[in-house]
């Protein structure tokens, strides 16, 4: 079976947008076994759609602005249907992002059975390296929550 | 005068999951027809100037390629390579044969990536009558799957050589800071061989589609090399006749400011000229590899082609060329073996140099003046800037021909015309707005 993909996204040069890559580092220190694959997708392009092909379970970790307290964690399942219905964000595709890639996978019929987004509310997305204390504090909770979800999935 | 504004696509500006930073920018088509006569026809570029040339001043020469590769996320390798050639020419550096081969291979990776994106994801939806690549994935999943596979391979090819495609790491003044292994090259070779089927299918698909009919002869400018279809270095050649050394590029570009564009316009022999795949094909078609020549025949592309919509077709011909030449380059590298070389050191730390490349969208120039290892002056002329005056001239000729069509069709034809040039403005803006002044 194709391993579950944990896909971290974001740009570590933009402050808390580095949360995905920091969480991925923390996940690497926990023995997750051969059924989990970790990929740092950086600033995702359309080819991200190819990473989803043949998978039944994908977990995406990224900074997400959902107007909450910095460091808050959002967990949400994404469906192929809502992505297909969503208006195309960037018609240029020269700078396509995650949602465009997911919508493309949905249209291609390769959208995995379960895709879960873990979003962390950023404090700052300034041009700087390193996370805010709030985002840093979210990492252990985030990692535990992802590992718990993985255990549920394999049960 | 009332201004009716038609927005072609409603951009979703809700930024709740999108955190990718984008450069802002915009291009507007303004058409004003009074009493059946074309009064105003402009392609407005309202992007903020980005001042890269000023950013280079005072920086050590080693930084230039890393700074200028940020001008574009699509042709980052093109900017980096052009920058390195300008610096190397200024400082008396002659790169090794291996460096030349690796840079060429890297460059082909970028040509493939950029052209596949444009031909198969940006233009194909127009020709197949759907709004964008997402509905295309529903109606023609094999086409989109093919495009994604080809783009992935192009990206992996770049990654093996320069570390990553966007903003390359290992390209450095005088050589490379990292080398691909023979295993990586062999693997890429096998994948390029396997991609031939995808390329053949794409040629077959495009040869069955109809492009808008429109002819307007213009001056075509491209780099020329006696022994190969030029992408890196060469002399400047015009379809109106004449060849100039690259150092004389300002005789060709003649940049000038126009009121409605924050990008300067250029002109040479006529009011405008065209750069890019179609210009390269028109000037250098005899140097294409045999497979690319066959593809051009299958696609009905004949020199001299004066239909700008066929720039997309010329790009596909270059996809064939780049894929075949990449295999040939890998074979040469495998036969020679990869040497871990130190970059060639500068002969001097002061001087002036010009670098030229044919990047996906056309001829790119970088010129630097370096004093004691620091850049004191820089000039970069990008392809889209050179095409702007030509896009306007095309629109002025096209609009009277299509005035009888329904407004929707006029808009689509104009939009497809701008898109045919694969302008970099679409890197930074969502879509061109078309305005009708009434």
């Amino acid at each position: 079976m194709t391993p579950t993909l944990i896909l971290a996204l974001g740009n570590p040069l933009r402050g808390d947008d580095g949360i995905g890559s920091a969480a991925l580092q923390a996940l690497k220190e926990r023995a997750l076994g051969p059924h989990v694959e970790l990929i740092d997708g950086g600033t995702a392009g359309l080819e991200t759609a190819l990473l989803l092909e043949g998978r039944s379970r994908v977990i995406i970790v990224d900074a997400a602005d959902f107007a909450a307290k910095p460091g808050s964690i959002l967990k949400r399942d994404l469906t192929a249907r809502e992505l297909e219905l969503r208006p195309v964000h960037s018609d240029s595709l020269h700078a396509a992002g995650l949602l465009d890639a997911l919508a493309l996978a949905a249209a291609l019929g390769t959208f995995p059975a379960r895709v879960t987004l873990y979003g962390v509310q950023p404090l700052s997305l300034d041009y700087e390296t390193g996370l805010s204390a709030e985002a840093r504090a979210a990492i252990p909770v985030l990692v535990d929550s992802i590992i718990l979800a993985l255990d549920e999935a394999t049960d | 005068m009332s201004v009716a504004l038609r927005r072609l696509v409603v951009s979703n500006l809700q930024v709740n999951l999108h955190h990718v930073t984008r450069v802002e920018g915009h291009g507007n088509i303004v058409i004003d027809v009074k009493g059946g006569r074309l009064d105003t026809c402009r392609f407005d570029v309202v992007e903020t100037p980005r001042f890269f040339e000023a950013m280079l001043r005072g920086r050590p020469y080693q930084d230039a390629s890393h700074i200028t590769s940020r001008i574009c996320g699509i042709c980052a390798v093109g900017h980096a390579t052009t920058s390195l050639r300008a610096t190397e020419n200024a400082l008396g550096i002659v790169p090794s044969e291996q460096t030349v081969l690796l840079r060429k291979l890297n460059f082909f990776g970028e040509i493939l990536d950029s052209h596949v994106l444009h031909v198969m994801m940006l233009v194909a939806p127009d020709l197949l009558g759907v709004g964008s690549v997402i509905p295309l994935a529903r109606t023609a999943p094999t086409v989109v799957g093919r495009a994604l596979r080809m783009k992935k391979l192009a990206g992996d090819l770049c990654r093996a050589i320069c570390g990553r495609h966007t903003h390359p790491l290992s390209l450095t003044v005088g050589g490379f800071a990292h080398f691909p292994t023979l295993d990586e090259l062999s693997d890429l070779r096998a994948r390029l061989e396997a991609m031939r089927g995808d390329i053949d299918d794409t040629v077959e698909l495009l040869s069955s589609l109809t492009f808008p009919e429109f002819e307007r002869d213009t001056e075509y400018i491209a780099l020329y090399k006696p022994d190969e279809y030029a992408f890196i270095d060469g002399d400047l050649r015009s379809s109106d006749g004449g060849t100039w050394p690259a150092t004389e590029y300002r005789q060709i570009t003649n940049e000038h400011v126009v009121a409605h564009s924050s990008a300067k316009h250029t002109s040479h022999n006529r009011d405008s000229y065209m750069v890019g795949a179609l210009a390269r094909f028109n000037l250098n078609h005899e140097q294409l590899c045999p497979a690319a020549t066959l593809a051009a025949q299958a696609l009905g592309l004949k020199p001299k082609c004066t239909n700008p919509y066929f720039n997309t077709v010329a790009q596909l011909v270059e996809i064939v060329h780049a894929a075949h030449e990449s295999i040939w380059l890998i074979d040469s590298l495998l036969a020679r073996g990869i040497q871990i070389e130190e970059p060639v050191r500068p002969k001097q730390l002061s001087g002036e140099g010009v670098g030229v490349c044919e990047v996906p969208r056309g001829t790119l120039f970088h010129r630097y003046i370096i004093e004691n290892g620091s850049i004191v002056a820089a000039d970069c002329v990008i392809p889209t800037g050179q095409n702007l005056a030509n896009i306007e001239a095309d629109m002025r000729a096209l609009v009277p021909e299509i005035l009888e069509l329904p407004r929707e069709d006029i808009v689509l034809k104009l939009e497809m015309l701008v898109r045919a040039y694969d302008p970099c403005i679409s890197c930074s803006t969502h879509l061109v707005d078309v305005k009708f002044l009434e």
Side-chain angles (χ1 to χ4, degrees):
Chain A
M1 201 180 100
T2 317
T4 293
L5 170 65
I6 302 183
L7 179 65
L9 295 172
N11 181 354
L13 302 177
R14 295 297 301 272
D16 286 344
D17 199 26
I19 185 79
S21 120
L24 204 70
Q25 285 307 319
L27 281 162
K28 275 183 188 162
E29 286 159 19
R30 313 276 287 260
L32 297 177
H35 57 288
V36 180
E37 190 178 353
L38 304 175
I39 295 180
D40 188 339
T43 49
L46 277 184
E47 288 95 318
T48 306
L50 290 176
L51 289 176
L52 308 181
E53 210 172 343
R55 309 222 187 230
S56 52
R57 179 101 171 91
V58 172
I59 291 171
I60 297 167
V61 190
D62 196 359
D65 183 3
F66 52 103
K69 214 165 109 260
S72 306
I73 298 168
L74 166 87
K75 180 187 174 187
R76 177 144 132 45
D77 283 334
L78 303 173
T79 64
R81 182 155 171 79
E82 68 179 331
L83 285 157
E84 282 202 272
L85 291 175
R86 172 184 155 273
V88 178
H89 180 94
S90 155
D91 235 29
S92 97
L93 303 180
H94 279 182
L98 169 67
L99 290 186
D100 300 301
L102 291 176
L104 195 60
L108 284 169
T110 58
F111 197 85
R114 189 154 178 221
V115 177
T116 312
L117 171 77
Y118 285 84
V120 177
Q121 177 71 44
L123 174 69
S124 159
L125 297 175
D126 272 348
Y127 292 93
E128 59 192 1
T129 53
L131 302 176
S132 66
E134 287 86 341
R136 246 193 337 267
I139 290 178
V141 190
L142 181 65
V143 167
D144 286 345
S145 166
I146 291 172
I147 289 173
L148 198 67
L150 285 173
D151 289 344
E152 284 165 13
T154 48
D155 280 347
Chain B
M1 185 192 295
S2 74
V3 179
L5 181 71
R6 178 184 159 77
R7 288 192 187 278
L8 287 163
V9 163
V10 180
S11 301
N12 179 359
L13 294 177
Q14 271 187 327
V15 188
N16 46 9
L17 285 171
H18 251 268
H19 283 275
V20 185
T21 50
R22 293 170 202 235
V23 184
E24 286 298 322
H26 229 83
N28 306 324
I29 294 172
V30 180
I31 304 285
D32 184 15
V33 180
K34 283 197 182 104
R37 272 194 53 244
L38 184 62
D39 191 61
T40 305
C41 180
R42 292 196 323 257
F43 185 46
D44 289 357
V45 174
V46 291
E47 270 191 65
T48 312
R50 292 162 71 202
F51 306 113
F52 268 92
E53 289 136 324
M55 272 184 241
L56 287 171
R57 287 204 290 271
R59 303 296 293 251
Y61 70 85
Q62 295 93 333
D63 288 2
S65 68
H66 296 290
I67 294 172
T68 55
S69 85
R70 267 75 182 170
I71 292 173
C72 185
I74 304 290
C75 46
V77 169
H79 271 287
T81 307
T82 312
S83 172
L84 293 174
R85 295 301 297 130
T87 304
E88 288 165 356
N89 286 330
L91 303 184
I93 297 168
V94 180
S96 74
E97 213 173 301
Q98 176 178 284
T99 294
V100 171
L101 291 174
L102 284 172
R103 281 185 184 166
K104 238 187 247 183
L105 184 57
N106 196 180
F107 213 89
F108 283 138
E110 179 163 281
I111 291 280
L112 285 171
D113 185 80
S114 177
H115 282 1
V116 166
L117 172 67
H118 184 247
V119 175
M120 299 175 72
M121 294 183 170
L122 298 175
V123 173
D126 279 336
L127 300 172
L128 292 164
V130 291
S132 81
V133 74
I134 306 287
L136 185 66
R138 237 169 275 140
T139 54
T142 50
V143 174
V144 175
R146 211 184 279 154
L148 285 172
R149 280 196 301 274
M150 289 165 77
K151 243 179 93 47
K152 173 88 169 50
L153 172 53
D156 290 347
L157 174 59
C158 289
R159 193 170 306 121
I161 298 168
C162 66
R164 62 185 181 201
H165 174 222
T166 307
H167 314 325
L169 295 162
S170 69
L171 302 175
T172 190
V173 176
F176 279 85
H178 168 86
F179 299 89
T181 65
L182 294 179
D183 284 348
E184 283 172 320
L185 290 175
S186 301
D187 174 56
L188 287 164
R189 191 196 186 287
R191 288 174 62 196
L192 282 159
E193 280 285 359
M195 194 175 80
R196 284 186 191 208
D198 280 343
I199 293 180
D200 291 346
D201 291 345
T202 308
V203 170
E204 200 182 315
L205 171 72
L206 250 77
S207 59
S208 71
L209 299 175
T210 311
F211 286 80
E213 284 176 23
F214 169 64
E215 302 290 336
R216 189 183 72 85
D217 188 28
T218 187
E219 182 178 12
Y220 300 92
I221 304 262
L223 290 177
Y224 168 79
K225 283 167 115 171
D227 49 350
E228 63 183 293
Y229 193 90
F231 280 107
I232 303 175
D233 302 334
D235 290 330
L236 285 157
R237 184 163 271 195
S238 161
S239 60
D240 284 354
T243 304
W244 296 262
T247 47
E248 304 297 310
Y249 75 94
R250 277 170 297 177
Q251 285 189 29
I252 302 280
T253 56
N254 299 300
E255 279 193 295
H256 53 275
V257 174
V258 292
H260 60 282
S261 168
S262 55
K264 291 174 187 168
H265 278 201
T266 58
S267 61
H268 177 241
N269 205 32
R270 312 185 192 191
D271 290 341
S272 67
Y273 63 86
M274 181 174 184
V275 294
L278 188 63
R280 291 191 286 261
F281 174 81
N282 278 340
L283 286 153
N284 300 328
H285 57 92
E286 283 172 359
Q287 294 164 317
L288 286 167
C289 74
T293 304
L294 283 175
Q297 283 165 5
L299 289 157
L301 180 65
K302 296 186 197 79
K304 166 184 168 188
C305 172
T306 58
N307 180 345
Y309 290 101
F310 271 64
N311 191 48
T312 302
V313 178
Q315 287 183 329
L316 179 53
V317 169
E318 288 189 343
I319 288 174
V320 179
H321 182 78
H324 280 81
E325 291 290 292
S326 295
I327 291 175
W328 183 85
L329 278 170
I330 291 176
D331 284 341
S332 311
L333 286 162
L334 290 174
R336 298 165 49 101
I338 294 282
Q339 319 301 325
I340 307 299
E341 301 172 334
E342 284 294 313
V344 179
R345 312 270 310 159
K347 281 205 175 68
Q348 72 256 1
L349 286 175
S350 299
E352 178 177 345
V354 171
V356 282
C357 288
E358 284 292 336
V359 294
R361 286 152 198 80
T363 322
L364 172 66
F365 306 94
H366 282 216
R367 182 177 67 98
Y368 304 148
I369 298 172
I370 300 172
E371 281 177 17
N372 301 316
S374 288
I375 294 169
V376 296
D379 182 31
C380 304
V381 185
I382 68 157
T384 295
Q386 295 170 73
N387 277 331
L388 290 174
N390 209 62
I391 294 174
E392 279 191 354
D394 278 349
M395 291 196 307
R396 270 195 300 276
L398 175 64
V399 169
E401 288 183 19
I402 58 174
L403 263 185
E404 302 303 315
L405 295 178
R407 186 177 278 204
E408 302 280 324
D409 294 354
I410 297 177
V411 168
L412 180 64
K413 282 218 159 57
L414 286 173
E415 213 197 359
M416 283 174 71
L417 174 70
V418 172
R419 208 172 281 148
Y421 282 80
D422 194 5
C424 228
I425 283 164
S426 54
C427 272
S428 46
T429 190
H430 292 188
L431 202 70
V432 170
D433 284 343
V434 180
K435 293 176 186 171
F436 285 91
L437 298 174
E438 290 173 304

